[in-house]
Amino acid sequence: MDDISSILKEKGLKVTPQRLAIINMLKNTKEHPSAETIYKTLSSDFPTMSLATVYKTLEMLKSIGLVQELNVGEGSFRYDANVNSHPHLICYGCNRVDDLYDSALDDLLGRVSKYTDYLLMDQKLYFYGYCPDCKKKVTNHDHP
Amino acid sequence: MDDISSILKEKGLKVTPQRLAIINMLKNTKEHPSAETIYKTLSSDFPTMSLATVYKTLEMLKSIGLVQELNVGEGSFRYDANVNSHPHLICYGCNRVDDLYDSALDDLLGRVSKYTDYLLMDQKLYFYGYCPDCKKKVTNHDHP
DNA sequence: ACATTTCAAAAAATGATTGACAGCATAAAA
DNA sequence: TTTTATGCTGTCAATCATTTTTTGAAATGT
Ligand SMILES: [Mn+2]
Ligand SMILES: [Mn+2]
Ligand SMILES: [Zn+2]
Ligand SMILES: [Zn+2]
């Protein structure tokens, strides 16, 4: 009946509590969590779920296009249930990852295409700095 | 006498053949090689140099601002002796990484700053698609 | 000469991710 | 309903890029 369940069923994939928990968590957060964070967050409700299951589920969700993987430059990936390719902001201070809404970037791919012989299909845009909270605490800094 | 040697000396770092070879290779290529590629390329001239030395040297060159590390979304990093933060093109077909020269992206950071409360300091812009060579071979494709 | 520092190589450790495999749950087939 | 097949989970080991530690040689200082 619910949206995700039927998508999984259509693809011949089993609907399990672990899978629903992971995709629902991603749909209900703006925090772009890592696999580890997902695992820790869900471990109170699913104490027996293993980290490998989180990884395998994320791999599966990626492959059917329900989540995207973000590489913000840490040692591990972040995950996002918003699969549109949209720009992100990363805070040097607290490592949070936020979405960026900016019409200045609309049709960037189209504009860039005029400057290259590549056939462009996607873009990954990351902006680094200090979030509003961390900005206050910063006096003088270079970026790392 | 030579530029890199004096920079290293000024910082109190020793000038070794291995270090010079690595930085010179990076200065003379547009290929954005990985540590592994650097290691393999130099191993004919330096058969005893270990991969750990390449990593350690890259770490050192990064810390004194002579190279930057690129995370193009592979499992490993690419290195670039051009330390300005400039956009890159990545080919889905052959994994080459090229520089992108595009005045459409000038002052992007300044323009984006108006749309966010972050204090922005840096950006990483990656554009994905098919390079001129691979474009020919592509008939119909989704991006991976 | 002796002590101190710096280096490179080798070996070991790390941390994120993946793979192999056994048992379980569900569902199709008989 | 019983059997059979298949997918999924958890355990645990393996992998891979990278980092750290150890060791000994070479360079530098006294
Ligand atoms: Mn996002
Ligand atoms: Mn470059
Ligand atoms: Zn912050
Ligand atoms: Zn190509």
Side-chain angles (χ1 to χ4, degrees), chain A residues 46-113:
Chain A
F46 297 85
T48 68
M49 184 173 61
S50 75
L51 188 52
T53 298
V54 174
Y55 277 110
K56 285 165 191 168
T57 301
L58 288 170
E59 168 63 32
M60 181 234 98
L61 292 171
K62 217 185 355 169
S63 74
I64 65 175
L66 284 186
V67 309
Q68 70 167 310
E69 200 171 55
L70 304 181
N71 193 337
V72 302
E74 295 171 323
S76 55
F77 293 113
R78 303 293 200 107
Y79 294 88
D80 192 338
N82 176 356
V83 293
N84 294 317
S85 116
H86 56 285
H88 289 94
L89 297 160
I90 300 102
C91 178
Y92 283 142
C94 62
N95 298 314
R96 64 189 267 200
V97 178
D98 285 315
D99 288 326
L100 169 67
Y101 305 99
D102 185 347
S103 61
L105 299 173
D106 287 352
D107 193 37
L108 193 63
L109 210 63
R111 282 184 279 146
V112 167
S113 282

Side-chain angles (χ1 to χ4, degrees), chain B residues 80-138:
Chain B
D80 193 338
N82 175 354
V83 293
N84 295 317
S85 117
H86 55 286
H88 289 94
L89 297 160
I90 299 103
C91 178
Y92 283 142
C94 62
N95 298 315
R96 64 188 265 199
V97 178
D98 284 315
D99 289 325
L100 169 66
Y101 306 98
D102 184 348
S103 61
L105 298 172
D106 287 351
D107 193 37
L108 193 65
L109 210 63
R111 283 183 279 145
V112 167
S113 282
K114 294 175 188 147
Y115 287 82
T116 173
D117 290 328
Y118 269 64
L119 171 64
L120 294 185
M121 321 202 62
D122 201 8
Q123 57 184 293
K124 295 188 181 163
L125 309 180
Y126 301 110
F127 294 89
Y128 295 82
Y130 290 92
C131 73
D133 286 349
C134 292
K135 194 163 57 172
K136 298 171 196 160
K137 305 164 197 158
V138 179

Side-chain angles (χ1 to χ4, degrees), chain A residues 119-139:
Chain A
L119 170 65
L120 293 185
M121 323 205 57
D122 199 8
Q123 57 185 293
K124 295 188 180 164
L125 309 180
Y126 301 109
F127 294 89
Y128 295 82
Y130 290 93
C131 74
D133 287 348
C134 292
K135 194 162 57 171
K136 299 171 195 161
K137 304 165 197 158
V138 179
T139 55

Side-chain angles (χ1 to χ4, degrees), chain B residues 43-99:
Chain B
S43 64
S44 51
D45 284 326
F46 297 85
T48 69
M49 184 172 62
S50 77
L51 188 53
T53 297
V54 175
Y55 278 114
K56 235 189 286 189
T57 300
L58 289 170
E59 168 62 32
M60 181 232 93
L61 293 172
K62 217 183 358 167
S63 74
I64 64 174
L66 285 185
V67 309
Q68 70 168 309
E69 200 170 58
L70 304 181
N71 194 337
V72 302
E74 296 171 322
S76 54
F77 293 114
R78 302 294 200 105
Y79 295 88
D80 193 338
N82 175 354
V83 293
N84 295 317
S85 117
H86 55 286
H88 289 94
L89 297 160
I90 299 103
C91 178
Y92 283 142
C94 62
N95 298 315
R96 64 188 265 199
V97 178
D98 284 315
D99 289 325

